Amino acid sequence: MLAETMTALAAAGGTAVVQAAGTDAWTGVRQRVARWFGRGNPEREHAELERLDRTAGELEAARPSDVERVRILQEAAWQGRIQALLEALEDGERDGVADELRDLRDLRDLMTLRAAHHGDASAGEGGVAVGGNLVVQADGSSAAAVIMGNVTLGNPPQPGSHQD
């Protein structure tokens, strides 16, 4: 059984892998994670690279309504894989991998901070991306929204009446 700290690092590692997919950091994260799991075996490292590519592909192919579900599933899968790796290592090796996981977590935190600071935001077709705070407010008898379809304000016509 892993210590609570190692379990938390595995969770952060799983999140970092998934958050890095599709970003500028992906190539470096992908290589680093494949090396951890490969443990010096080129065939295992290649298999991990393929698994990482499948993760990125699933995230990219997910419909907008499924993105959150796919992200959660992928984070959990990578957390489980990282936990299993940590459990299989000797204490000295585990400490080294834990340090690498901390670096990966710090990279994830840096990417998140950079995105928030620089306003890097994106949205799919029909969406709105906001790189900072957004306040939408309506007062009185008005309506407010980021995206609003056809809206008519006022009283609806009485049933059976005809409008010109």
Side-chain angles (χ1 to χ4, degrees), residues 103-160:
D103 291 344
L104 184 59
R105 181 198 59 204
D106 293 345
L107 175 61
R108 182 206 65 204
D109 292 345
L110 180 61
M111 288 177 356
T112 302
L113 179 62
R114 191 182 104 206
H117 181 65
H118 293 293
D120 295 342
S122 64
E125 186 177 326
V128 173
V130 177
N133 294 334
L134 173 67
V135 176
V136 178
Q137 181 176 340
D139 294 315
S141 297
S142 62
V146 175
I147 297 176
M148 188 178 296
N150 294 330
V151 176
T152 302
L153 297 177
N155 294 324
Q158 294 294 321

Side-chain angles (χ1 to χ4, degrees), residues 1-14 79 82-83 86-87 94-95 97-102 105:
M1 188 81 171
L2 286 179
E4 194 173 310
T5 304
M6 292 293 176
T7 301
L9 278 173
Q79 176 183 351
I82 293 168
Q83 281 179 301
L86 290 171
E87 288 173 349
R94 187 177 300 137
D95 292 340
V97 171
D99 287 341
E100 292 177 35
L101 279 170
R102 285 182 190 92
R105 181 198 59 204

Side-chain angles (χ1 to χ4, degrees), residues 18 55 58-75 124:
V18 172
T55 293
E58 287 183 30
L59 290 163
E60 185 178 323
R63 293 185 313 225
S65 60
D66 293 335
V67 169
E68 185 67 12
R69 181 185 59 78
V70 171
R71 184 190 59 75
I72 289 168
L73 289 171
Q74 290 297 325
E75 285 179 6

